[in-house]
Amino acid sequence: MSTSVKAGPRQSPRPGPTRPIGTPRKPWRRRVEPYVYVFPTVLLMVVLMLVPIVMVIRYSLYDNVIMKKEPVLAGIANYTEILTDPDFWNAVKNTAFFTGTSVVAHLVLGMAFAMMLNTPLLGNVTKAIFRVLFILPWLFTVAIIAVLWRLLLNPNGVLNYLLQTWGLADSKVEWLADPNLALYAVTFINIWSGYPFYMMSLLAGLQGIPRDLYEAATVDGASYWQRWWNVTVPQLRPIIVSIAMLDVIFTTQQFALIWMTTGGGPINVTEMLSTFTYKLAFNRYQFSLASASAVIIFVFSMVLAFFYVRYQKARD
Amino acid sequence: MEPRGARRVLLKIGVLAGLVVGAVFAGFPVFWMAASSFKANPEIFELPPRVVTPGFSFDAYTTIVTDPVKVRFFVNSYVVALSVTALTLVVAVLAGYAFSRFEFPFKRPLNMVIVSVQAVPPITLLIPYFGLMVTLKLYNTYWALILTYMVFTLPYAIIMMTGYFNTLPRELDEAVKVDGAGSFTALWRILVPISVPGLVSVGIYTFMIAWNEYLFALTLTRTEDMRTVPIGIQLLMGQHSYEWNEMMAMSILGCIPVLVLFLFFQRFFIGGMTAGSVKA
């Protein structure tokens, strides 16, 4: 959810070494002022962003951190231990599946709903009502989404009842406790909770496409789907790429949903990088190993962020 | 280009059918949550499931609003979320003003840092935050949550406020300065009052992030009197048994602030939500 901060409207000519002779230097006060305004931000970012990142990197290079008083330098031993741990790679695999499937499904659902809400066939009131209904999942916090789906997916719950009544399942399905199903179940919940963001962004994008593009395509004899593919998709591409990148960044970091539905289990079939790291730190008190894992996740996120920022810059 | 006649009717039916299917997908879980909050706990998994059961009552709600421990969850959530919103707005307005109206060295790098900070995973910061909050004696206090939440609300707020100020003509604040007023007066008297729509958007977004946060609330607080609503809902799971009706009632009560904000400020809400990815 970001754009880059753009420079203000037309700047006054920049003072600097090239300033014409005779022009007074900017008064001292004027030069200091912007720093006063950004000071609270910089202070917060240094204390609660820069310092913690340095701390976590330091932790990851030591043993016996936090829990004991004398940390011992461990070099990259913590990293080798994490990177050779099959549980870590299991978490990587689960996170990749969870994220990949979520992002694709979010995009498909978001696009389908946005296009239906943008139809000229229906009245504005009808569309407004459906829009509110469709946005509902986005209004709930993850904690609520987790208990809500535990209620629905309970073996004795309403979903199993409906499936059995319609003959789609013959016994009570343990959606969140069956090792073969749990990963699909949590991914489904995440899809349900995340598509409204795509839907609203794409809807705003759809409404911004100039009509004459469609008219020109129609004159050329393009069918509905040809117009969709040749006009709509290219016009929406910047939005699609932006939200998909943001979604990848945030979905790989998802913790609360997993923690409150399956806790990473059964066994470790829904273990994500976030729950894996959390358990290392706060269940097993292996803060050094957890820090190494946290740094690996950090580096990965920064690589994604780098591409995201570069893409946003290219759009400007 | 518009289809006509029978084809148009068929299309309309098709789109409506699609919308109804979508509405069931999106709305049924929420509807079921609301229905369950009025049931007696033994009726939750009764077969066949019914929307309204003989035990229909507001008992689950009464239990929650009369239990001081649970009321405290709500008080904590409001205190934290409102403080985060107020502080974020103040700090973001100041920083946004600097980014929008001044040229200064380190402006670009600082801007880059603020943009990329949004992608720093909370789990990476969690371990040092835990150590830091214990050291600063802020562990298990409101400040532990308020300060750490601001790290995640501030970048977006600054970006939005900078963008908003950029849309306001510079002549406005220059005019005040000609009269001898300082830049702070220009910001406070001129820019802030006309930026109310931007402030509302950013404020709502910030409030939601703070109201919904889970990971830091779980780790940086310990005692029940410091827990927020998301943790409170989880604490209802498996204390003794699952009080499903109370969990659902608490969820409904927990989403009311966001729902109210949404219904009253829909336009700002969606503006804040889509501004990041959609650019005119």
Side-chain angles (χ1 to χ4, degrees):
Chain A
M1 263 133 286
S2 78
T3 59
S4 52
V5 182
K6 276 173 279 181
R10 291 300 123 231
Q11 303 295 339
S12 48
R14 229 177 241 242
T18 53
R19 114 193 105 95
I21 299 151
T23 329
R25 244 181 112 76
K26 252 192 193 179
W28 175 83
R29 213 189 121 149
R30 173 93 185 150
R31 275 183 291 127
V32 172
E33 262 181 333
Y35 296 106
V36 177
Y37 289 120
V38 294
F39 177 73
T41 306
V42 171
L43 181 71
L44 197 82
M45 287 300 155
V46 169
V47 176
L48 288 175
M49 184 59 72
L50 188 66
V51 169
I53 289 172
V54 173
M55 279 169 79
V56 74
I57 294 172
R58 212 180 140 258
Y59 288 159
S60 74
L61 299 173
Y62 280 82
D63 264 334
N64 289 341
V65 294
I66 296 185
M67 298 308 286
K68 288 187 193 137
K69 286 287 164 225
E70 290 107 32
V72 183
L73 191 66
I76 58 159
N78 292 320
Y79 288 94
T80 20
E81 191 169 341
I82 286 288
L83 290 171
T84 52
D85 184 349
D87 288 343
F88 173 80
W89 291 106
N90 170 60
V92 169
K93 202 185 78 208
N94 290 339
T95 309
F97 174 84
F98 180 72
T99 307
T101 313
S102 294
V103 170
V104 171
H106 282 158
L107 183 57
V108 170
L109 280 180
M111 180 69 101
F113 287 174
M115 284 169 63
M116 288 194 291
L117 289 178
N118 197 40
T119 175
L121 294 165
L122 296 172
N124 284 334
V125 178
T126 319
K127 286 192 282 189
I129 292 169
F130 278 109
R131 197 182 62 202
V132 171
L133 282 171
F134 287 176
I135 214 171
L136 271 177
W138 193 69
L139 298 177
F140 295 95
T141 158
V142 186
I144 296 177
I145 290 167
V147 286
L148 166 58
W149 281 95
R150 284 178 66 152
L151 175 82
L152 294 169
L153 296 178
N154 189 288
N156 298 311
V158 66
L159 191 78
N160 273 338
Y161 171 79
L162 291 175
L163 289 177
Q164 280 176 308
T165 319
W166 296 331
L168 294 170
D170 42 336
S171 61
K172 286 172 179 171
V173 186
E174 297 261 6
W175 295 102
L176 292 166
D178 183 334
N180 295 315
L181 295 173
L183 184 58
Y184 301 109
V186 290
T187 309
F188 179 83
I189 301 173
N190 191 58
I191 291 167
W192 183 82
S193 69
Y195 77 84
F197 172 61
Y198 281 69
M199 179 183 83
M200 296 315 296
S201 299
L202 291 172
L203 186 58
L206 282 173
Q207 287 163 350
I209 300 177
R211 284 187 73 86
D212 42 331
L213 286 179
Y214 289 109
E215 275 151 23
T218 314
V219 170
D220 292 345
S223 71
Y224 179 82
W225 293 112
Q226 283 171 329
R227 271 178 283 154
W228 181 76
W229 183 249
N230 294 316
V231 179
T232 312
V233 173
Q235 286 286 313
L236 293 180
R237 183 173 295 130
I239 299 176
I240 294 172
V241 175
S242 289
I243 49 181
M245 282 165 119
L246 285 175
D247 198 23
V248 169
I249 293 174
F250 292 121
T251 309
T252 49
Q253 299 170 1
Q254 178 61 265
F255 170 83
L257 181 67
I258 309 292
W259 193 248
M260 294 187 70
T261 48
T262 63
I267 316 162
N268 58 9
V269 297
T270 60
E271 197 82 277
M272 303 290 155
L273 282 169
S274 56
T275 54
F276 171 80
T277 310
Y278 184 88
K279 283 180 183 171
L280 268 182
F282 296 97
N283 289 2
R284 290 169 51 195
Y285 303 109
Q286 301 272 7
F287 284 102
S288 303
L289 285 180
S291 299
S293 173
V295 171
I296 295 170
I297 300 173
F298 171 70
V299 170
F300 173 74
S301 293
M302 285 300 106
V303 170
L304 287 179
F306 171 78
F307 285 112
Y308 176 74
V309 170
R310 213 172 66 162
Y311 184 77
Q312 290 293 343
K313 281 225 153 134
R315 277 176 75 188
D316 284 339
Chain B
M1 72 182 269
E2 305 261 312
R4 301 192 187 282
R7 204 173 119 75
R8 190 185 157 89
V9 174
L10 272 178
L11 264 175
K12 202 167 163 172
I13 292 170
V15 172
L16 264 176
L19 285 170
V20 170
V21 171
V24 171
F25 171 75
F28 177 75
V30 181
F31 168 74
W32 198 253
M33 168 168 81
S36 298
S37 70
F38 297 113
K39 294 176 185 176
N41 205 37
E43 294 170 336
I44 294 276
F45 295 121
E46 173 190 76
L47 289 174
R50 279 181 291 185
V51 174
V52 179
T53 56
F56 181 94
S57 71
F58 290 89
D59 288 355
Y61 291 90
T62 327
T63 315
I64 286 174
V65 297
T66 53
D67 181 346
V69 175
K70 285 162 193 149
V71 173
R72 184 70 194 242
F73 297 150
F74 285 91
V75 173
N76 292 342
S77 270
Y78 278 108
V79 169
V80 171
L82 290 174
S83 312
V84 171
T85 308
L87 286 170
T88 300
L89 283 177
V90 170
V91 177
V93 161
L94 294 176
Y97 185 53
F99 278 121
S100 170
R101 294 299 200 256
F102 293 88
E103 275 303 321
F104 52 98
F106 305 115
K107 179 170 160 172
R108 292 202 144 266
L110 195 59
N111 174 12
M112 287 290 285
V113 168
I114 287 170
V115 172
S116 28
V117 149
Q118 297 178 100
V120 174
I123 192 85
T124 302
L125 297 171
L126 186 68
I127 298 166
Y129 277 174
F130 179 69
L132 209 58
M133 290 305 153
V134 172
T135 317
L136 297 174
K137 305 240 185 308
L138 294 176
Y139 179 69
N140 202 36
T141 65
Y142 287 143
W143 283 109
L145 299 186
I146 294 169
L147 291 172
T148 52
Y149 289 4
M150 280 182 72
V151 174
F152 289 90
T153 56
L154 203 51
Y156 179 79
I158 293 175
I159 291 161
M160 293 297 289
M161 284 324 298
T162 309
Y164 202 88
F165 288 149
N166 281 348
T167 65
L168 305 174
R170 276 173 164 249
E171 288 73 26
L172 281 175
D173 35 320
E174 297 300 339
V176 190
K177 282 194 226 163
V178 168
D179 295 342
S183 63
F184 183 76
T185 315
L187 169 66
W188 184 242
R189 289 280 171 77
I190 306 294
L191 290 185
V192 169
I194 52 177
S195 301
V196 170
L199 291 168
V200 173
S201 273
V202 174
I204 289 175
Y205 197 84
T206 306
F207 181 88
M208 268 193 68
I209 292 183
W211 183 265
N212 291 344
E213 206 283 334
Y214 178 82
L215 179 61
F216 292 166
L218 177 70
T219 320
L220 301 179
T221 63
R222 189 189 60 238
T223 53
E224 251 185 3
D225 63 323
M226 275 295 134
R227 297 298 203 180
T228 56
V229 173
I231 310 294
I233 293 171
Q234 188 206 15
L235 289 177
L236 286 178
M237 284 196 273
Q239 255 177 343
H240 320 288
S241 57
Y242 283 24
E243 300 292 342
W244 285 103
N245 55 347
E246 284 181 33
M247 283 198 278
M248 294 306 138
M250 195 150 160
S251 300
I252 297 280
L253 292 173
C255 71
I256 281 175
V258 177
L259 217 57
V260 168
L261 285 175
F262 177 73
L263 291 176
F264 281 94
F265 298 103
Q266 228 191 103
R267 197 163 53 86
F268 298 113
F269 217 83
I270 291 167
M273 176 180 183
T274 55
S277 49
V278 185
K279 285 203 212 165

Short mmCIF file of all heavy atoms in Angstrom, two decimals, chain A residues 82 278 300:
data_model
loop_
_atom_site.label_atom_id
_atom_site.label_comp_id
_atom_site.label_asym_id
_atom_site.label_seq_id
_atom_site.Cartn_x
_atom_site.Cartn_y
_atom_site.Cartn_z
N ILE A 82 20.17 -23.16 10.21
CA ILE A 82 18.83 -22.91 9.67
C ILE A 82 18.72 -23.44 8.24
O ILE A 82 17.77 -24.13 7.88
CB ILE A 82 18.51 -21.39 9.70
CG1 ILE A 82 18.23 -20.93 11.13
CG2 ILE A 82 17.33 -21.04 8.80
CD1 ILE A 82 16.92 -21.39 11.69
N TYR A 278 8.66 -17.76 14.72
CA TYR A 278 8.05 -17.41 16.00
C TYR A 278 8.23 -18.54 17.02
O TYR A 278 8.59 -18.30 18.17
CB TYR A 278 6.56 -17.12 15.80
CG TYR A 278 5.89 -16.66 17.08
CD1 TYR A 278 5.89 -15.32 17.42
CD2 TYR A 278 5.27 -17.57 17.94
CE1 TYR A 278 5.29 -14.89 18.60
CE2 TYR A 278 4.67 -17.15 19.11
CZ TYR A 278 4.69 -15.81 19.43
OH TYR A 278 4.10 -15.39 20.59
N PHE A 300 14.93 -11.47 2.05
CA PHE A 300 13.99 -11.83 0.98
C PHE A 300 12.97 -10.70 0.76
O PHE A 300 12.72 -10.28 -0.37
CB PHE A 300 13.29 -13.14 1.36
CG PHE A 300 12.18 -13.51 0.43
CD1 PHE A 300 12.46 -14.01 -0.83
CD2 PHE A 300 10.85 -13.34 0.80
CE1 PHE A 300 11.43 -14.34 -1.71
CE2 PHE A 300 9.82 -13.67 -0.06
CZ PHE A 300 10.12 -14.17 -1.31
#
